[in-house]
Amino acid sequence: MHTLSLVIVLAPLIGAIIAGLFGKVVGRAGAHSVTILGVSISFLLSLVVFKQIVFDGVDPYNGSVYTWLVSDGVKFEVGFLVDELTALMMVVVTFVSLMVHIYTIGYMRDDPGYQRFFSYISLFTFSMLMLVMANNFMQLFFGWEAVGLVSYLLIGFWYQKESAIYANLKAFLVNRVGDLGFLLGIAAVLMFFNTLDYAEVFRLAPSMEHVTVEFAMNEQWSIMTLICILLFIGAMGKSAQVPLHVWLPDSMEGPTPISALIHAATMVTAGVYMVARMSPLYELSETALSFVIVIGAVTALFMGLLGIVQNDIKRVIAYSTLSQLGYMVVALGASAYATGIFHLMTHAFFKALLFLAAGSVIIAMHHEQNITKMGGLKKYMPITYWTFLIGALALIGFPGFAGFFSKDSIIEAVKISTVSGAGFAYAAVLVGVFITALYTFRMFFLVFHGKERMDEHTREHLHESPPVVTVPLILLAIPSVIIGALAIGPLQFGSFFGDAIHVLPIHDVLEVLQSEYHGVFSFMLHGFMAPAVWLSLLGVGVAWFVYLKRPELAGDIKERFPGIYNLLDRKYGADDFNDVVFAEGGRGVGRFLWRFGDIKLIDGVMVNGTAFGIGKLAGIVRRVQSGFLYHYAFAMIIGLLVLLTWFVF
């Protein structure tokens, strides 16, 4: 397992190095060949590891590869923890990454940065694998920062575009805020546990449950609450939870393949994975669980609403990612960690499918992304149409599709959760089902059905994308249909995760659900009797009526409720607030420090003031040197009197 783990991690890194440093030597074909080979090796070996751990019953591997530093008995190591949770994440990350690599050959074929792009996405895969395979907090932080760095490079890949540079800087700065909390959380772990090793921290955690620390204004905080909330602030940045969500929609400035990779299998899922991995800590803090479930519910509901007014096809899908991440976080807050990871897995497949299908549409439309300028594409792009429809049905949780099993499980888990804030979360995720169906099928109908609204030149050149684009769509569509039904039993109600996820009996909502689970078909039948499916169908019906049957209604609603529309269009003013308070405020503080600190205090008082003072003093002293003997005698007498006075007193 030691050697397997090393090869799985290093194969994409080697591909990234060859494509990045020797891109001109190996050429375009060499760049995509070596990176695809590296990710393929990782995927195939991940399947081997998955088989060994899950099916063959091999014990999880937890071992050190390299000891970097030992300080006061604390080891800083590179090491791997390969258990059921890790094996699942490895398969998901490498499979989605492989599909994106293959798809990129077609999407980026005319781009001058072809080799550089392949190097970046392969490096992204390496970074995510380092994160999910880590067995200690130091390596977790390395992978955490590495995916952040590569996302910065990829969002701003088209660095000639000013909007792309703004977007990657925004992502970088917002994630620095979250990462500060994350780093403080790791520092607290090191301070109180004197180790960074997962196994040792989890072993010691129960003994620290009732230990408190003075936090602020003589308030006593539970150490576990403090650590869990600080770690979750990091997850809020990486997994784009309110209010650290603002970077994710702007990440659409990067090429579509990276949108799929960031939103489906790598960066945004890192926070969800981290909280699930830290379940032995979160189970010891009700306050932290409540914080998590409320933040997730707010994100799921309010970010979904923003998708209704977006006209950029990629931004609609981006806001759906925000909303679905909220669902995953809600599951974590309800202690349904297995369900959160289950939804992470199903979402990875159908969200990658939707992004890559959107990219296929963008290629056909000559890089037009406005859905109001599309329409009627069904007859021109049948493969893209059907795969997009499969992704859309999985996203809205239509019975039988992958998203149905995971999303319905989240709703049911939250319904019976006793964590503070669960009632609000249940209402939010239930309303979110209707909203998800509405914006998803608004996009679907405007793109593929109805009147053709593109210009004549674009219409004449419309055709289906080449196989290098459509084959990954088909391969992603298959798990988007079947993976939910195949995985719900073992993954959610079985003992799939073993000791990888820890839940206290008082929080075990899945045990309650398991008593009511009687197989896949029974679960689907129960779904038809639950409100979620009907709300989803209602959302599809409203989208069909408003955007196909009576398209003038959309404009009428917009004119009748301009306040609500502007609020959603301006994204609740979050970007405006950040620009005014943080961006402009930061520049204002900088200008103040420059004018008063630098110019007046440092230059004016300290530098020029010192020179001016010495000049003045020199002028005074110069007058004393008169050359008259009685002046010198007088000065000597005065000096003698001063010395005598000092000696006496």
Side-chain angles (χ1 to χ4, degrees):
M1 190 68 74
H2 175 92
T3 306
L4 269 179
S5 300
L6 273 175
V7 175
I8 289 169
V9 165
L10 294 178
L13 177 62
I14 293 170
I17 292 171
I18 294 172
L21 298 182
F22 308 102
K24 290 184 178 180
V25 177
V26 299
R28 289 177 166 240
H32 71 233
S33 297
V34 72
T35 51
I36 289 174
L37 176 63
V39 176
S40 298
I41 291 171
S42 292
F43 171 60
L44 293 173
L45 293 182
S46 295
L47 289 177
V48 172
V49 169
F50 188 85
K51 175 183 176 295
Q52 290 179 351
I53 296 288
V54 176
F55 294 107
D56 297 344
V58 174
D59 291 335
Y61 171 76
N62 184 8
S64 174
V65 174
Y66 172 71
T67 301
W68 175 57
L69 179 69
V70 179
S71 177
D72 291 333
V74 179
K75 291 184 178 181
F76 296 86
E77 298 178 319
V78 177
F80 298 127
L81 170 60
V82 182
D83 56 12
E84 295 84 355
L85 177 58
T86 308
L88 178 66
M89 291 296 297
M90 287 161 61
V91 171
V92 171
V93 169
T94 53
F95 175 72
V96 173
S97 178
L98 179 59
M99 294 301 101
V100 170
H101 275 70
I102 295 170
Y103 176 94
T104 300
I105 297 173
Y107 191 90
M108 300 290 287
R109 68 177 183 271
D110 298 323
D111 196 284
Y114 190 84
Q115 292 98 314
R116 179 165 58 95
F117 189 82
F118 271 99
S119 175
Y120 285 171
I121 58 176
S122 194
L123 187 61
F124 210 165
T125 307
F126 157 76
S127 302
M128 190 64 185
L129 287 171
M130 284 291 283
L131 189 156
V132 300
M133 295 173 68
N135 74 343
N136 63 83
F137 285 91
M138 189 197 78
Q139 187 175 327
L140 173 70
F141 187 70
F142 167 80
W144 196 268
E145 292 303 305
V147 293
L149 169 64
V150 184
S151 70
Y152 169 82
L153 296 173
L154 284 163
I155 293 168
F157 181 78
W158 287 321
Y159 54 84
Q160 301 90 343
K161 290 171 59 180
E162 191 173 324
S163 58
I165 295 303
Y166 176 82
N168 74 347
L169 182 62
K170 188 175 182 180
F172 188 81
L173 292 175
V174 171
N175 273 278
R176 294 291 68 72
V177 176
D179 290 352
L180 174 61
F182 190 63
L183 189 57
L184 289 173
I186 294 175
V189 169
L190 181 59
M191 178 179 179
F192 293 110
F193 291 90
N194 201 40
T195 180
L196 292 175
D197 183 74
Y198 288 167
E200 189 65 13
V201 170
F202 297 160
R203 185 183 67 81
L204 295 172
S207 65
M208 306 290 284
E209 182 178 2
H210 301 294
V211 180
T212 60
V213 62
E214 191 174 300
F215 185 62
M217 298 177 66
N218 297 321
E219 286 286 331
Q220 294 294 320
W221 275 53
S222 162
I223 285 174
M224 300 313 304
T225 296
L226 182 63
I227 289 173
C228 290
I229 289 179
L230 286 172
L231 291 175
F232 184 67
I233 290 172
M236 288 167 65
K238 280 289 180 288
S239 292
Q241 299 297 291
V242 172
L244 302 182
H245 67 283
V246 292
W247 67 270
L248 192 60
D250 291 285
S251 69
M252 297 301 98
E253 292 295 334
T256 298
I258 195 51
S259 300
L261 200 53
I262 288 177
H263 287 243
T266 52
M267 186 166 171
V268 297
T269 61
V272 176
Y273 163 79
M274 185 275 294
V275 175
R277 173 60 75 192
M278 300 299 143
S279 60
L281 306 185
Y282 280 87
E283 284 300 287
L284 301 176
S285 174
E286 288 272 346
T287 304
L289 290 174
S290 296
F291 183 71
V292 170
I293 201 170
V294 170
I295 292 293
V298 170
T299 305
L301 176 60
F302 291 99
M303 293 303 102
L305 285 168
L306 298 184
I308 300 172
V309 300
Q310 298 298 314
N311 290 325
D312 185 313
I313 187 171
K314 287 172 65 177
R315 283 183 180 267
V316 177
I317 304 173
Y319 279 108
S320 86
T321 299
L322 280 169
S323 183
Q324 296 307 304
L325 287 167
Y327 275 85
M328 297 176 210
V329 170
V330 163
L332 300 174
S335 292
Y337 305 100
T339 306
I341 296 296
F342 183 27
H343 195 54
L344 182 156
M345 179 190 70
T346 60
H347 176 265
F349 294 122
F350 64 71
K351 186 52 57 70
L353 171 59
L354 283 171
F355 266 116
L356 298 187
S360 178
V361 170
I362 293 168
I363 293 170
M365 292 292 298
H366 301 289
H367 292 274
E368 174 61 66
Q369 296 182 196
N370 192 331
I371 58 177
T372 63
K373 297 180 180 179
M374 299 180 188
L377 294 184
K378 177 184 177 182
K379 64 181 179 182
Y380 301 104
M381 309 180 71
I383 299 176
T384 301
Y385 171 83
W386 288 108
T387 52
F388 198 107
L389 178 59
I390 288 171
L393 291 171
L395 172 59
I396 70 169
F398 190 80
F401 288 80
F404 162 76
F405 295 98
S406 54
K407 185 186 283 188
D408 256 40
S409 298
I410 292 173
I411 295 169
E412 291 299 316
V414 175
K415 184 180 179 180
I416 61 176
S417 174
T418 57
V419 173
S420 179
F424 164 70
Y426 177 66
V429 295
L430 207 54
V431 175
V433 170
F434 169 78
I435 295 167
T436 301
L438 178 58
Y439 67 68
T440 301
F441 274 84
R442 168 184 177 263
M443 170 179 61
F444 179 75
F445 291 140
L446 287 177
V447 171
F448 293 103
H449 290 276
K451 181 182 177 183
E452 298 176 2
R453 297 177 298 277
M454 69 286 294
D455 59 68
E456 194 59 37
H457 174 74
T458 303
R459 181 187 290 108
E460 289 175 357
H461 292 84
L462 280 173
H463 59 83
E464 184 59 271
S465 298
V468 74
V469 171
T470 56
V471 169
L473 296 184
I474 295 168
L475 293 176
L476 284 166
I478 295 170
S480 297
V481 177
I482 66 172
I483 197 69
L486 293 176
I488 184 172
L491 205 66
Q492 184 164 274
F493 300 122
S495 56
F496 178 90
F497 288 110
D499 295 327
I501 288 175
H502 175 72
V503 183
L504 293 177
I506 193 174
H507 296 151
D508 200 350
V509 293
L510 293 184
E511 187 177 4
V512 179
L513 290 182
Q514 185 177 4
S515 64
E516 302 172 0
Y517 177 72
H518 303 291
V520 171
F521 293 106
S522 175
F523 190 88
M524 291 173 59
L525 184 62
H526 176 267
F528 277 109
M529 295 185 289
V533 169
W534 295 104
L535 283 169
S536 178
L537 294 175
L538 178 63
V540 175
V542 170
W544 171 81
F545 186 76
V546 172
Y547 296 101
L548 281 187
K549 184 73 173 175
R550 296 280 301 280
E552 72 280 0
L553 274 178
D556 294 342
I557 294 170
K558 179 180 174 181
E559 291 177 5
R560 183 165 299 203
F561 302 102
I564 296 175
Y565 176 82
N566 289 331
L567 179 68
L568 297 177
D569 189 49
R570 295 182 65 177
K571 295 165 272 192
Y572 308 118
D575 283 339
D576 297 334
F577 177 82
N578 290 334
D579 286 342
V580 171
V581 176
F582 294 113
E584 190 54 46
R587 286 191 289 267
V589 170
R591 284 193 294 267
F592 172 80
L593 293 174
W594 168 61
R595 287 173 181 165
F596 293 96
D598 193 27
I599 294 178
K600 292 192 175 182
L601 181 61
I602 296 175
D603 289 345
V605 176
M606 297 176 68
V607 179
N608 296 330
T610 302
F612 178 76
I614 291 172
K616 279 286 187 183
L617 180 62
I620 294 170
V621 172
R622 188 169 59 245
R623 291 191 182 96
V624 174
Q625 302 295 326
S626 63
F628 295 110
L629 184 61
Y630 61 86
H631 284 171
Y632 296 120
F634 179 73
M636 290 171 66
I637 292 169
I638 294 297
L640 182 62
L641 288 173
V642 170
L643 286 172
L644 287 171
T645 303
W646 183 77
F647 278 120
V648 170
F649 293 100

